[in-house]
Amino acid sequence: MIFRGQLQRIHDYMFHIAVAVVIFIAGFIIAYSNLPKPQFDYTTFTTQQPQFQQCLNNAALQQRAQQFEQSYTTLPLTEIQANFKALTDQVPENCGAYHVESSYEQLQAMATPVLTAAQQYYGEQNVKAVNAVYTQPSQYRALLGEPQPYLFFISDSTQTRIAAFKATPTPDSVDVMPLWDHAHSQDLAYTQGEVQKLLLVFNEVKS
């Protein structure tokens, strides 16, 4: 399956690819900043969200999405895949016109706080990032009432630890959260399992 190939690429990186921090800051910004998408505006998102909910008119579906988001990492892979598809398939296509996606330009604003969070997480400055960024489908995030987050995989300087960092736009800035604790970052079996789950609900951002 596709996510297995992505998983292998991420973990191949840990042992064979050394990506400098400067490439992390500049590389994906150069790749994505020229795409024809407007700058994300949180106020516009919150204005559009009630219109999305009115179009959807399905509070039960939104509640199921919230429950899924809070629990999917505890589920078997096949169940994650099936449940996620069932949720997104139930959003009417015309409701997509009533919410705002996070723009790719937002990645530039996210770069510094993501790096800072990773440096604090590892307790060192020379962290290294996988040169790929992931996001969740916009309509799924609208079910949750939140803008699209971005997912970054960052290791320590020796590439013996790796963690996923989720960056979500907020009204004033961006909220950056590591998705597992520091102790688990060096447990390859654990991180492989978690990445497999994440890549069932996150897709790579393509230029």
Side-chain angles (χ1 to χ4, degrees):
M1 295 177 67
I2 293 174
F3 72 85
R4 289 182 178 172
Q6 293 172 324
L7 171 68
Q8 188 60 52
R9 187 168 73 249
I10 289 169
H11 284 282
D12 284 348
Y13 151 81
M14 291 180 66
F15 300 104
H16 303 296
I17 301 176
V19 182
V21 170
V22 68
I23 295 177
F24 169 58
I25 296 174
F28 69 77
I29 295 173
I30 292 171
Y32 305 124
S33 63
N34 293 325
L35 293 176
K37 292 178 70 68
Q39 180 69 26
F40 175 76
D41 185 294
Y42 199 94
T43 301
T44 304
F45 178 84
T46 55
T47 300
Q48 293 275 17
Q49 187 63 24
Q51 297 178 53
F52 171 84
Q53 292 175 319
Q54 184 176 3
C55 176
L56 181 69
N57 192 28
N58 193 336
L61 180 62
Q62 291 186 275
Q63 184 177 14
R64 289 199 299 274
Q66 291 285 352
Q67 293 169 344
F68 174 79
E69 178 68 12
Q70 294 169 12
S71 65
Y72 75 85
T73 57
T74 67
L75 302 176
L77 298 179
T78 53
E79 195 170 334
I80 295 173
Q81 193 169 37
N83 290 355
F84 185 69
K85 186 177 186 301
L87 287 169
T88 55
D89 284 353
Q90 291 182 65
V91 178
E93 291 185 7
N94 62 308
C95 292
Y98 294 105
H99 81 95
V100 180
E101 297 181 7
S102 303
S103 71
Y104 294 147
E105 280 86 352
Q106 196 73 9
L107 291 171
Q108 185 169 3
M110 290 180 179
T112 298
V114 169
L115 279 175
T116 299
Q119 289 165 345
Q120 292 174 346
Y121 179 86
Y122 290 117
E124 59 176 295
Q125 295 295 307
N126 189 27
V127 297
K128 300 178 185 296
V130 173
N131 197 25
V133 183
Y134 298 79
T135 192
Q136 287 184 309
S138 55
Q139 290 191 338
Y140 171 70
R141 296 307 300 189
L143 286 176
L144 301 174
E146 301 173 353
Q148 288 173 287
Y150 290 97
L151 191 66
F152 303 83
F153 292 96
I154 305 177
S155 83
D156 64 357
S157 59
T158 62
Q159 301 176 48
T160 56
R161 295 176 178 270
I162 194 167
F165 293 81
K166 186 173 76 171
T168 307
T170 67
D172 302 314
S173 182
V174 58
D175 177 59
V176 182
M177 179 178 65
L179 297 188
W180 48 81
D181 61 38
H182 187 262
H184 281 118
S185 65
Q186 66 179 348
D187 184 340
L188 185 60
Y190 177 86
T191 58
Q192 283 180 329
E194 293 304 295
V195 170
Q196 280 186 314
K197 296 171 186 176
L198 288 169
L199 295 187
L200 288 176
V201 297
F202 281 83
N203 302 314
E204 185 174 353
V205 176
K206 300 290 186 179
S207 59

